[in-house]
Amino acid sequence: MSSIIQPSIEAIGLSKRVVDATGELPILQNIHFTVQAGETLAIVGASGSGKTTLLGLLAGLDTPSEGTVKLDGIDIFALDEDGRAVLRMHKLGFVFQSFQLLPHLTALENVMLPLELRRDADARAKAEAILARVGLASRFGHYPKYLSGGEQQRVALARAFVTEPPLLLADEPTGSLDAATGEAVIGLMFELNRERGSTLVLVTHDLAIAARCGRTITIEAGRIV
């Protein structure tokens, strides 16, 4: 297990606005909350409420109009984009609804990639071990197009967990899956998270999934309610 100190998350006055043909559109408005190290938090809300935008801000994948995010006390928006990328490499795992696997890489290569970016000498062995752990020992050489949706999401989980990040962010991780496959994937995600003791922030519209987390935040029209 990684010895990296687990981070807490602090969202401080986060607001996000975009400009469209009708003028300025508020997406998030003055969001404040803290997630303690090792906590599991669900962010719930209707489609269009701003929860996915919030998750992107927590990861530093998007920039706020106002406010900031601190990960383990580090103000991520005081860093430039390269600095945020390095921070993500060492502290974050991210699971996307649409998997975001690289189509020209095999399952094994997709999982090895974040380790190789960190110049990990044991990238192959670690990737093989986590893929076997998620039940894909027979799929190392398969490209994403030859994997089912559930298998692709398990590869995505393996990729997110392989670096043993202290923080895992997941955006509707079962949204592209049927109910039975989604239940299997979400069970595996919580199991891996418990094994590693990482902090988990999960965006979902499914209240049954949210209930498996220790705490829930509800977003309506860009605000916490």
Side-chain angles (χ1 to χ4, degrees):
M1 183 177 292
S2 173
S3 60
I4 297 174
I5 296 173
Q6 298 172 356
S8 60
I9 307 169
E10 191 176 3
I12 306 167
L14 278 181
S15 295
K16 179 69 176 180
R17 297 181 298 275
V18 298
V19 177
D20 63 13
T22 63
E24 195 171 69
L25 178 66
I27 306 298
L28 292 171
Q29 302 178 68
N30 199 31
I31 300 290
H32 291 266
F33 65 90
T34 299
V35 186
Q36 299 302 321
E39 189 176 4
T40 55
L41 172 72
I43 300 173
V44 302
S47 178
S49 61
K51 57 189 188 296
T52 292
T53 298
L54 176 56
L55 201 68
L57 291 173
L58 296 180
L61 296 171
D62 194 5
T63 56
S65 301
E66 280 102 29
T68 196
V69 173
K70 291 184 178 181
L71 298 183
D72 200 20
I74 299 170
D75 184 341
I76 66 174
F77 296 112
L79 305 173
D80 60 17
E81 178 51 43
D82 288 343
R84 291 196 295 275
V86 171
L87 186 72
R88 284 193 294 271
M89 187 185 304
H90 292 281
K91 290 191 178 292
L92 292 180
F94 205 111
V95 181
F96 298 89
Q97 176 179 342
S98 54
F99 319 135
Q100 298 291 333
L101 301 178
L102 295 177
H104 61 285
L105 298 182
T106 64
L108 181 61
E109 291 165 344
N110 265 284
V111 178
M112 286 174 62
L113 184 59
L115 293 169
E116 290 175 329
L117 291 172
R118 297 198 327 187
R119 302 184 186 279
D120 192 311
D122 298 322
R124 186 181 185 91
K126 289 179 179 179
E128 288 179 347
I130 190 69
L131 278 170
R133 175 66 184 77
V134 300
L136 294 176
S138 63
R139 296 287 192 269
F140 289 172
H142 287 64
Y143 291 94
K145 67 180 179 180
Y146 298 116
L147 300 172
S148 69
E151 288 172 334
Q152 289 185 62
Q153 192 59 296
R154 281 188 281 160
V155 173
L157 280 180
R159 181 182 59 188
F161 278 104
V162 74
T163 59
E164 298 191 19
L167 171 62
L168 182 74
L169 305 179
D171 184 13
E172 297 280 12
T174 63
S176 298
L177 306 175
D178 63 73
T181 304
E183 174 58 31
V185 165
I186 206 72
L188 180 60
M189 187 180 73
F190 277 100
E191 187 176 325
L192 288 168
N193 196 67
R194 281 194 301 272
E195 288 175 4
R196 286 155 174 77
S198 48
T199 305
L200 171 65
V201 178
L202 169 69
V203 160
T204 184
H205 66 278
D206 188 326
L207 296 182
I209 292 174
R212 299 175 71 161
C213 292
R215 183 161 62 102
T216 298
I217 286 175
T218 301
I219 303 289
E220 285 184 11
R223 295 181 183 273
I224 293 179
V225 297

